[in-house]
Amino acid sequence: MSYYKKIICRPINDNNKRFLLGKNGTVEMMAIGLNPSKANEGKLDPTSRNIEKIANNNGCNGWWLVNLYPLRTVNPKKLPIKPDLKLIDQNLNVILELIQNPKFKINKILCCWGNHVDDHLYLKLQASKILEFIKEKNLIVYCLGMTKSGNPFHPSPMSVNSFLGGINQLQISEYQHY
């Protein structure tokens, strides 16, 4: 069985939205990004490969990538001005399932949505809602560091290599802003 057969994507074969991408493990990290791009059950992209590496480097053999908004686009500036409320509800339900369902072994939460969270108020509101759910579960929230604008760094190869010293040098730290 190839490595990519282990990747789980919800929904599968959907080029418009993605609620969840990742791999089961006995100790899992949930990373919260801004919005999904091209990665799916058949192929990871550079950012999702970085998430997997960050999880592995921090004692997690499973990882899940969720987002503040589930609409797929490689350019966050193309996110809608007004969100689809049905998509937001579906997205929050998937995130709640990850946090609450004991079949998931979430040990660490990594906030990594970057500065585009400031582009739309609904993205900031989603971050707040999700962090409230996490706080209720008493989970520790981490980040890769903070941008000059005060947002958790995005794990794209450009950010990781330009600002954080490369993927193998990354140290996660507690996210203090929630």
Side-chain angles (χ1 to χ4, degrees), residues 24-43:
N24 287 308
T26 54
V27 179
E28 300 169 344
M29 175 180 281
M30 180 177 83
I32 307 166
L34 187 77
N35 71 287
S37 59
K38 295 180 180 182
N40 61 29
E41 65 280 355
K43 185 174 182 185

Side-chain angles (χ1 to χ4, degrees), residues 12-150:
I12 59 171
N13 299 318
D14 190 326
N15 292 324
N16 297 315
K17 65 185 174 297
R18 186 183 77 216
F19 299 109
L20 176 70
L21 180 73
K23 184 171 88 171
N24 287 308
T26 54
V27 179
E28 300 169 344
M29 175 180 281
M30 180 177 83
I32 307 166
L34 187 77
N35 71 287
S37 59
K38 295 180 180 182
N40 61 29
E41 65 280 355
K43 185 174 182 185
L44 298 180
D45 62 8
T47 297
S48 53
R49 282 193 298 272
N50 276 353
I51 293 292
E52 181 174 42
K53 182 95 169 165
I54 292 164
N56 290 335
N57 288 347
N58 286 279
C60 298
N61 60 3
W63 59 276
W64 301 104
L65 177 55
V66 297
N67 291 281
L68 300 179
Y69 194 68
L71 189 69
R72 286 181 184 262
T73 178
V74 293
N75 183 352
K77 290 184 183 277
K78 292 187 177 180
L79 289 172
I81 293 170
K82 291 186 177 182
D84 178 327
L85 297 179
K86 183 179 174 189
L87 277 180
I88 282 181
D89 286 345
Q90 289 175 298
N91 193 53
L92 284 173
N93 286 336
V94 169
I95 294 168
L96 279 174
E97 180 186 356
L98 273 173
I99 295 168
Q100 295 175 335
N101 189 330
K103 84 173 186 174
F104 296 103
K105 310 293 186 227
I106 304 297
N107 180 276
K108 293 183 170 91
I109 309 279
L110 180 69
C111 293
C112 54
W113 48 74
N115 283 334
H116 284 290
V117 71
D118 295 328
D119 293 353
H120 302 292
L121 179 59
Y122 67 87
L123 295 171
K124 285 284 222 193
L125 291 173
Q126 287 307 102
S128 293
K129 279 184 194 176
I130 293 165
L131 289 172
E132 280 302 312
F133 294 138
I134 293 167
K135 195 180 255 186
E136 289 173 11
K137 289 293 183 182
N138 294 317
L139 294 168
I140 299 172
V141 179
Y142 297 90
C143 67
L144 302 172
M146 302 299 284
T147 68
K148 288 180 184 176
S149 298

